[in-house]
Structures are given as C-alpha cells and as structure tokens.
Amino acid sequence: MQNTANKNATKKAKELLNYLSDTAGKAIITGQHTQTNPMEEISYIREMTGKEPKLRGFELLSYSPNINYENADGPCLIEVYENQHTLETAMKWAKESDGVLTFSFHWFSPIGGHDKSFYAVNTDFDATRVLIEGTPERRAFFHDIDVIAEQLKLFRDADIPILWRPFHESDGDWFWWGAKGPETARELYKLMYDYYTNVHHLDNLLWVWNCRLPEGYPGDEYVDVVSVDIYLTEYAQTDYHEDYCELIKATSGNKVAALAELGYMPDIHLLEQSHTPWAYYMTWSKEFCIGEQYNSVKKLKEMYESKYAVVSGTAV
C-alpha cells in the first residue's frame, strides 16, 4: 500500500494507486497510447488478440492554448487536427469501461514558437524565466495551465482518476521544459503540482514523474508514480530490469514504477520469471503498435494471452 502525495486525493485516486502498488511484481497492466479519436491502435490490438489493453493513454497537445496555426507546417496541423476532441473520447471510454486513464501533454510553448513548438528547436521560450516572479513567461505558463485545469476538472467532477504525466522526458533536452536541464523541469513540475492541488483542487490526479536523473527528482511529497520512457534502437528480448534498477536508484524506492512510453513491449515470458515490479507499460501509438515494424503480432499475442498480463475486463 502506498499513500498518495496529495493527502486530499479522491477515494478513487487512492484506490487506483493501491491497485498499481498491489499489481507491481505480481502482474503487469497492459497499456496503449492513442492520439486520434478512431483509436486505430485499439482496433488493431483487438483484431490481433481478441482483447484490449487495461490502460489507455490520451494526448492533450491539441488543447495547448498557443498553437500557431498560421505558421505551422502540414505534419504539425495533421497531428493537431487528428488529436482534437480526444478528451471527449477519453471521458466516454472511462465511463463505459473498467480501464485506467493516463494523459500525456506535448505542450506547445506558452509564448512564441512555430510548428510543433513543444520541441525546443521550434521555440525560443526560456523555461527558466517561468521561475521568476512577474515575467511574461510565468504569466503565460499559468495562463496555459489554467486552461488545461478546466479540462481536467471535467474528469474530477465525474470522479475519474487520471495518471497525469506532465513535463515528460525531462532527462532530455528535446522539449522546451527539459531544454534548460532537469532541475528546471523539476521546479516547473512542483509549481504545477502546488497550483493544481491547492488552487484548482484537482484531487483526482495521480502524479507521474518521468525522468531518470537524480538531480531532477522533485521529492516523494510530489510524486505518486516514477516512470521512464524507453525506445531501444533495435529489438531486444528484455524485461527492462536494469532500467528499473536505474530508475529507482535515481528517484525513490517508495513509489510505484512504470514504463510510461515504450517502443518495444517488455518480454512477458521474462517478466513471468523475474517479476520486475513494473506496474504498467504503455506502448506508443501508430507504427509502434500497428504493423510489425516494432512489435510483432507473435509478441503481441504472447503478451495479451499471458496470465501475468492484466487486460481490459479485469476489475480495478
């Protein structure tokens, strides 16, 4: 059993965290990211295995308040338009299923930028200035998180818990929130946590930290789940045990651990033997799921047919 970081967390949020804690090391919750309303990845998994993942990931990028539509290229606009209204789809699925929701946010920079301005290369937004009182960057930061809070409140009011993973991959410099180092991302995360918890009272959120550098860790009082994203350059049969050990060493041994984004699924046979305590994994969308460029149909079937894997239909 693990206590929530937010002492005022809803009953269902606390129950979800306990469920994750109880599952880790005994089984692994199957997960799949989606970024379009048709959720073609779910249809593919159902067609190949006859089952569906227990955890489903949704993307908030199109809800960013500062998308520069006039100065965006084709791929950017396609991604934005494909992603629109996905939270309505998430709400419908959550109400009709026994599944677990997790949200990712590729946040277009609060000021300036072009194309996919969540990438640091496409914006000159300086995240360090968010940490300075009275700056335009700080005002824009809080403006944007106020907008997103209104979306998250819809789930709070419906009593639906969310695994909330802001400022992901802050151990890298490719997103604007990580471009100034993990320490800056850590402080942004703490600002959001305090604001969402104490001002907006988003007590349905479970807070997922996604960085494996010790200097980035916000502290146990801000985190419910520690996680890592892993994209191997080529397939390897693995349960990601070494990655688990590295993550726990860099963050905390007191928290549930998760494979928040993957290119290649963990090998279910190795997990059955090692019981490496990942609570869940989430394969990324599109080609990472569909087709055999990354995960073969054989491996997909092995995962979803294993008694060690928790699929949709298993009670929370």
Side-chain angles (χ1 to χ4, degrees), residues 120-245:
V121 70
N122 290 335
T123 182
D124 60 1
F125 186 77
D126 184 347
T128 62
R129 292 185 55 76
V130 174
L131 307 178
I132 303 171
E133 293 282 356
T135 62
E137 289 83 359
R138 189 178 178 91
R139 288 192 294 272
F141 177 89
F142 278 99
H143 168 268
D144 282 14
I145 64 175
D146 277 334
V147 170
I148 297 302
E150 295 309 308
Q151 296 296 330
L152 297 175
K153 284 177 183 177
L154 300 174
F155 292 84
R156 180 199 64 188
D157 295 345
D159 199 17
I160 297 170
I162 296 166
L163 290 163
W164 173 239
R165 186 176 65 113
F167 311 111
H168 67 291
E169 298 179 10
S170 53
D171 41 6
D173 60 2
W174 41 89
F175 297 130
W176 61 258
W177 51 86
K180 298 296 183 178
E183 298 90 346
T184 297
R186 176 193 68 205
E187 297 306 311
L188 298 177
Y189 174 98
K190 288 164 67 175
L191 274 181
M192 179 186 278
Y193 175 92
D194 287 334
Y195 193 61
Y196 273 7
T197 300
N198 300 315
V199 177
H200 283 292
H201 304 292
L202 287 164
D203 299 328
N204 61 318
L205 302 183
L206 291 178
W207 289 79
V208 182
W209 180 243
N210 188 241
C211 174
R212 52 178 151 187
L213 296 177
E215 60 269 30
Y217 190 56
D220 282 3
E221 66 270 30
Y222 293 96
V223 174
D224 294 304
V225 178
V226 294
S227 70
V228 64
D229 296 0
I230 304 173
Y231 289 90
L232 301 177
T233 55
E234 59 184 13
Y235 173 74
Q237 187 179 27
T238 180
D239 58 1
Y240 296 104
H241 179 77
E242 291 184 5
D243 297 280
Y244 173 83
C245 294

